[in-house]
Amino acid sequence: MNTQVKSLITGQVFQNRKEAKLIMGHSNYNKALRKGEMAFVTTPSPIDIIY
């Protein structure tokens, strides 16, 4: 599964949580997460087996 992080305010999509923290800054990321302004998007990767 591929998990991406999306900012609901700016619409910016990050490949993972670490990238989001590096670009936004740790404190801004944590504030946005607490306020519910971040969404975790999980999509199946091409090698996943879906039943």
Side-chain angles (χ1 to χ4, degrees), residues 11-25:
Q12 190 172 12
V13 178
F14 306 100
Q15 293 302 315
N16 53 36
R17 190 174 57 90
K18 182 179 179 181
E19 180 184 352
K21 279 190 172 189
L22 288 174
I23 293 173
M24 294 179 69

Side-chain angles (χ1 to χ4, degrees), residues 3 7 9 12 16 22 24 32 34 37 41-43 49:
T3 303
S7 172
I9 301 298
Q12 190 172 12
N16 53 36
L22 288 174
M24 294 179 69
R34 274 195 306 268
E37 298 172 351
V41 181
T42 304
T43 56
I49 298 172

